[in-house]
Amino acid sequence: MKGRIVKGLGGLYEVRAQGGKRINCTARGVFRHEGLTPLVGDFVEIRLENDDEGVITDISERKNSLIRPPLANIDYLFCFVPCAQPAPVFETVDKLTAIAEHNGIEPVIVVSKLDLGGESDKIRRIYEKCGYSVFGVSAETGEGVDLLCEYLKNTVGDGTAAFAGASGVGKSTLMNNLFPALSLKTGGVSRKTERGRHTTRHAELYFVNEYGYSDLDCVVADTPGFSMLDFLRFDFFDKESLPYNFREFLPYISECKYRGCTHMGEEGCAVLEAVENGEIPESRYDSFSQIYKEIKDKRPWNVKN
Ligand SMILES: Nc1nc2c(ncn2[C@@H]2O[C@H](COP(=O)(O)OP(=O)(O)OP(=O)(O)O)[C@@H](O)[C@H]2O)c(=O)[nH]1
Ligand SMILES: [Mg+2]
Ligand SMILES: [Zn+2]
């Protein structure tokens, strides 16, 4: 029987079988020998043991897979940037867009908590300049939620979209606003540290059609928020591929004076020139150079795909 893993906890997997039935599965021991761990989002073959329990016997080849959030076969990564509470951290969102680009996933920018003011227009301009779709939303007032819903319907179609971002940026709250029937748990933001409380603890897929949203065919995933700590173990790609994961750099990369230009200050660097001319947003270049410094001395281990 075929299905898709929608949730995984402690070696137990919930698989949505074709037709919608949920089967609680263990994974065949052999995956461990092959170094393969089933991921939420995997398309799998299962063998039924009884009515609602089974064993995963095969994992279909993945289109892509992410370490954080831990998901497979994602088409769109909705990267959250809050207007405030917590304050927006461009480096976090730029790491997310870069991870998505590297894995062939389309990044979409969600500027959340519009009702709290802040620099939403500035944030929007930065990412529109890079060529990304940007949605400003407030889960509090409902502003912008209809446009996002249209995007899910018309662009995501029957694809899979994951919500990702720092803890407390409002991923689960927005998902509840879009799909109240999900009634996901949401948390607060610490007043003292302005950090989220890591309310969502595991990634889970929702086939929203099954919750009564019959005009939508998409699958959405809520995921646990990032903390800065996750990025100390940043191992998503090597420094050679880094510039290619900044979409707005692409027209300039081949124009640099030196082959093998790292765009970190070389003479005749077309990327730096584009930053100076305002064609590449400064915050994006800052994130690029910050990530470059973080990964430059790392060996290219665990390169994905
Ligand atoms: N003012 C305002 N507050 C919001 C909005 N969206 C979410 N919040 C609040 O932000 C806090 C965190 O929201 P969550 O939805 O739990 O955040 P999350 O991104 O899912 O966080 P994790 O699950 O920890 O990753 C809650 O107190 C929400 O009420 C919004 O649009 N406006
Ligand atoms: Mg959450
Ligand atoms: Zn260069």
Side-chain angles (χ1 to χ4, degrees):
M1 189 186 261
K2 287 192 187 307
R4 191 169 190 194
I5 300 178
V6 293
K7 189 162 125 181
L9 277 179
L12 287 177
Y13 302 92
E14 187 176 313
V15 174
R16 178 193 179 275
Q18 264 172 10
K21 193 170 161 56
R22 304 301 162 122
I23 315 287
N24 292 315
C25 292
T26 54
R28 210 170 49 117
V30 69
F31 290 136
R32 235 166 296 142
H33 301 297
E34 293 165 3
L36 193 60
T37 310
L39 275 174
V40 171
D42 269 330
F43 293 98
V44 294
E45 186 72 40
I46 59 175
R47 191 182 64 234
L48 278 183
E49 305 257 275
N50 57 47
D51 198 36
D52 55 6
E53 289 178 320
V55 180
I56 298 171
T57 55
D58 191 37
I59 300 176
S60 300
E61 198 180 329
R62 293 168 177 156
K63 179 151 68 172
N64 52 51
S65 64
L66 301 181
I67 302 168
R68 284 206 179 238
L71 289 170
N73 302 312
I74 297 303
D75 302 299
Y76 296 84
L77 194 69
F78 284 55
C79 307
F80 278 60
V81 209
C83 289
Q85 292 175 31
V89 179
F90 291 113
E91 204 185 310
T92 304
V93 73
D94 296 337
K95 279 176 174 168
L96 279 173
T97 58
I99 290 164
E101 296 277 11
H102 191 71
N103 287 280
I105 300 169
E106 177 68 15
V108 175
I109 305 298
V110 178
V111 185
S112 64
K113 306 198 185 188
L114 272 189
D115 58 289
L116 296 178
E119 302 193 298
S120 60
D121 287 340
K122 183 181 139 199
I123 301 172
R124 174 184 287 278
R125 275 197 301 274
I126 290 171
Y127 292 96
E128 282 179 345
K129 183 133 206 146
C130 300
Y132 294 129
S133 296
V134 181
F135 294 92
V137 296
S138 165
E140 188 77 22
T141 65
E143 186 181 350
V145 174
D146 48 343
L147 286 178
L148 194 67
C149 203
E150 284 293 300
Y151 186 85
L152 285 172
K153 188 174 167 182
N154 299 327
T155 306
V156 176
D158 61 0
T160 302
F163 284 19
S167 179
V169 296
K171 300 179 293 296
S172 304
T173 308
L174 181 66
M175 210 166 270
N176 279 339
N177 190 301
L178 282 160
F179 311 113
L182 295 183
S183 49
L184 303 178
K185 194 167 160 212
T186 61
V189 172
S190 157
R191 245 191 224 162
K192 217 164 94 202
T193 64
E194 270 232 338
R195 291 214 187 107
R197 298 184 194 276
H198 295 280
T199 309
T200 305
R201 290 288 176 173
H202 58 266
E204 183 162 352
L205 297 190
Y206 302 98
F207 287 68
V208 291
N209 197 288
E210 293 175 352
Y211 289 82
Y213 305 96
S214 55
D215 57 339
L216 290 174
D217 299 318
C218 60
V219 178
V220 294
D222 193 14
T223 73
F226 282 78
S227 67
M228 284 319 270
L229 205 73
D230 293 325
F231 291 125
L232 294 178
R233 297 182 285 124
F234 189 67
D235 52 3
F236 301 103
F237 43 75
D238 55 21
K239 66 178 188 301
E240 281 71 30
S241 33
L242 177 64
Y244 297 93
N245 297 328
F246 279 72
R247 187 175 288 196
E248 71 281 21
F249 287 18
L250 296 182
Y252 307 104
I253 289 174
S254 60
E255 305 295 316
C256 296
K257 181 168 171 189
Y258 300 112
R259 262 186 72 186
C261 182
T262 64
H263 325 298
M264 288 294 289
E266 287 99 331
E267 184 209 336
C269 173
V271 170
L272 270 172
E273 198 175 302
V275 177
E276 274 150 29
N277 296 339
E279 285 151 27
I280 291 176
E282 264 176 49
S283 70
R284 292 278 292 176
Y285 183 77
D286 291 345
S287 295
F288 165 82
S289 59
Q290 194 56 42
I291 301 171
Y292 183 91
K293 286 177 201 151
E294 276 177 37
I295 61 181
K296 127 172 112 61
D297 299 323
K298 289 194 176 183
R299 267 164 289 131
W301 83 95
N302 201 10
V303 178
K304 306 274 301 162
N305 296 333

